[in-house]
Amino acid sequence: KHLLHCVSRLKAEMLENTTQIAKETSKPEAKPVQKILINRHDKVVMLDPAQIIYIEAMGSYSTVFYKNGKTIDCSKPISYFIAQLDPKLFYRVHRSYLINMAEVLEITKKNNVGILMLSEGHNIELAKPQLYKLIAEFNESAEEE
């Protein structure tokens, strides 16, 4: 009788500890950010995510392509932006590109590549598998709405 009571108490404690560890190690939901701060050598630039068309990675640096033809070079890797931006709005279509889904105008399929046409005349060439993943992502987004 004492043994059964002891075992059940031990199970309850183990379950409680496992639940606590899962809560501590679970990845928090990405929160939409009002502005993203970029430190440059001479100033701090505040980016409005709604104005970003896409971000292109170049090693540990990135170029942000902004509306109205602006570009901002920064020493942040693309992973910094992925962590800061809302994953429902920004999608990594390629190792080097993070796009604002709201800025996609058209997707063209040609032979073994796809061309992603973004606002303001920006085009990104993608391999077909990446293109199909993007189309699936658009379909998932449409189903959630």
Side-chain angles (χ1 to χ4, degrees):
K1 191 173 183 177
H2 292 289
L3 181 61
L4 288 176
H5 177 69
C6 195
V7 169
S8 68
R9 198 174 77 213
L10 184 60
K11 278 184 182 180
E13 284 181 25
M14 287 176 61
L15 181 62
E16 187 177 311
N17 287 342
T18 304
T19 305
Q20 185 63 33
I21 291 169
K23 284 180 185 175
E24 291 171 2
T25 59
S26 67
K27 190 175 176 184
E29 284 288 315
K31 297 173 191 156
V33 177
Q34 297 297 329
K35 300 275 185 179
I36 297 175
L37 299 178
I38 303 293
N39 287 318
R40 308 233 5 223
H41 65 294
D42 57 342
K43 60 186 169 187
V44 175
V45 179
M46 294 177 26
L47 300 178
D48 178 1
Q51 298 296 310
I52 296 171
I53 298 172
Y54 73 99
I55 300 167
E56 183 177 4
M58 295 175 198
S60 61
Y61 293 89
S62 297
T63 300
V64 179
F65 290 83
Y66 226 53
K67 291 182 180 179
N68 299 323
K70 286 198 243 175
T71 60
I72 299 169
D73 294 321
C74 66
S75 60
K76 299 281 186 193
I78 201 166
S79 59
Y80 170 80
F81 294 100
I82 291 168
Q84 296 291 317
L85 295 167
D86 185 348
K88 293 177 183 167
L89 300 175
F90 287 85
Y91 182 75
R92 191 171 191 173
V93 294
H94 182 276
R95 186 171 61 91
S96 299
Y97 297 105
L98 179 67
I99 63 161
N100 183 343
M101 299 277 275
E103 299 301 319
V104 176
L105 302 176
E106 190 175 290
I107 299 171
T108 307
K109 300 175 201 171
K110 290 185 178 179
N111 301 326
N112 288 330
V113 297
I115 299 171
L116 192 59
M117 299 173 84
L118 303 172
S119 64
E120 300 194 13
H122 296 280
N123 294 329
I124 296 174
E125 196 172 287
L126 300 174
K128 282 237 175 136
Q130 293 164 325
L131 190 67
Y132 292 131
K133 284 181 187 175
L134 176 63
I135 292 169
E137 188 68 27
F138 271 115
N139 287 335
E140 281 182 31
S141 295
E143 288 172 5
E144 288 176 4
E145 293 173 359

